[in-house]
Amino acid sequence: MIRKAVLPVAGFGTRCLPASKAIPKEMITIVDRPVIQYVVNEAVQAGIRDIVLVTHASKSAIENHFDTHYELEATLEAKNKQELLDELRAIVPADVNIISVRQHEPLGLGHAVLCARPVIGDDEPFAVLLPDVLVDDEGLSRNDLAGMLEAFEATGRSQLMVEEVPWEQVHKYGIVSPQGDAPTAGNACPLAGVVEKPAREEAPSNLAVIGRYVLPGSIFALLAETPPGAGDEIQLTDAIETLRQRDGVDAWRMRGKTYDCGHQLGYLEATLVYASRHPRFGEGFRELLARYSQAR
């Protein structure tokens, strides 16, 4: 069983400015909880029990969110606010560990993942979840990350989660080139490669990589030897390409839907979706939407 996941959260969040100037972008809320909590919940629901946050000195708010706040809990308990107390204690289930390591220099996503090497080790597979992206698995019996983990365990091959995007938008993404037919939703296929932001007429498919990976521990040795690439940073995709040539890599086609919360419109869309079905605020929020729609 794959039990560990790496969440790179050390970036400055420039796409979210000015909101992320003083608040980590991962702590910006969707309804009543920060984005990072949704991503951690996704990992936990897939069976992950060790969450490794690769963080920065300016991101202590993230660590504090997942830590125990004894004084606050004691105050809530004294005031008999049991529902709020239960919500706080459920942020991190008792059998889940949150572990923080520091990325001291902004040397790229590949370097951020490499910073987790002392915790993960070279012999154990793990997942990587980028916290900018929410993966919505509403209505599915299991989430897509769980499907990726099972695919890795069955084949031993690394998995990249991919999502179908409109052809006119392929130039915005890393696009996979499948070997043979593209996989159906909930299935995987071997990759011939990944093309970064291709023109529509040059795109090998319309399946985009969306920030979920399942990788072997051997990726760390490759990352340690990967020279700086685009942006003079150590790129995770460069190490994955080396891994693909050596051992093969698969694309797992997701069944859910993603929201890019690193972009303002993606964040707003996620807020609409999650607020509309919220167990406590959903009904009132839908009434607000209807009221303002009528006003227009």
Side-chain angles (χ1 to χ4, degrees), residues 10-12 56 103-109 111 231-234:
F12 290 125
H56 179 267
Q103 183 185 24
H104 299 291
E105 297 180 80
L107 300 179
L109 176 58
H111 179 262
D232 201 31
E233 296 180 337
I234 298 173

Side-chain angles (χ1 to χ4, degrees), residues 63-94:
E63 296 167 281
N64 291 341
H65 179 71
F66 291 107
D67 201 356
T68 302
H69 194 320
Y70 294 106
E71 297 83 358
L72 178 56
E73 289 189 11
T75 298
L76 293 174
E77 193 165 16
K79 294 182 177 181
N80 200 29
K81 296 186 176 181
Q82 191 62 42
E83 186 176 355
L84 283 175
L85 182 60
D86 291 343
E87 282 192 43
L88 282 187
R89 290 176 173 170
I91 289 174
V92 181

Side-chain angles (χ1 to χ4, degrees), residues 169-176 194-200 202-204:
Q169 294 183 19
V170 293
H171 65 283
K172 299 179 180 179
Y173 301 93
I175 300 296
V176 300
V194 180
V195 182
E196 190 63 33
K197 298 180 180 179
R200 175 172 178 166
E202 298 172 355

Side-chain angles (χ1 to χ4, degrees), residues 16-17 46 72 96 124 130 137 153 180 184 199 206 226 229 244-246 261 265 270 280:
C16 296
L17 286 170
L72 178 56
V96 172
E124 189 172 350
L130 303 190
D137 296 295
E153 290 164 359
T184 56
N206 64 335
T226 299
R244 185 194 67 80
Q245 294 176 14
R246 188 186 73 185
C261 293
L265 287 177
R280 190 158 65 242

Side-chain angles (χ1 to χ4, degrees), residues 164-289:
E164 187 175 22
V165 298
W167 280 98
E168 60 270 19
Q169 294 183 19
V170 293
H171 65 283
K172 299 179 180 179
Y173 301 93
I175 300 296
V176 300
S177 176
Q179 285 185 12
D181 295 334
T184 56
N187 290 286
C189 79
L191 288 184
V194 180
V195 182
E196 190 63 33
K197 298 180 180 179
R200 175 172 178 166
E201 59 274 12
E202 298 172 355
S205 75
N206 64 335
L207 295 176
V209 181
I210 55 87
R212 299 292 186 272
Y213 312 83
V214 182
L215 302 168
S218 59
I219 192 76
F220 290 123
L222 298 180
L223 285 168
E225 298 171 357
T226 299
D232 201 31
E233 296 180 337
I234 298 173
Q235 299 294 334
L236 179 61
T237 51
D238 291 344
I240 289 175
E241 174 58 20
T242 303
L243 189 67
R244 185 194 67 80
Q245 294 176 14
R246 188 186 73 185
D247 301 327
V249 172
D250 291 353
W252 164 271
R253 185 168 179 176
M254 65 179 304
R255 298 164 298 162
K257 179 174 173 52
T258 63
Y259 303 101
D260 181 2
C261 293
H263 184 276
Q264 285 79 355
L265 287 177
Y267 165 79
L268 291 172
E269 184 180 8
T271 300
L272 284 171
V273 171
Y274 283 79
S276 294
R277 65 172 187 238
H278 193 279
R280 190 158 65 242
F281 306 121
E283 183 178 356
F285 184 75
R286 292 191 298 272
E287 290 174 358
L288 285 174
L289 286 178

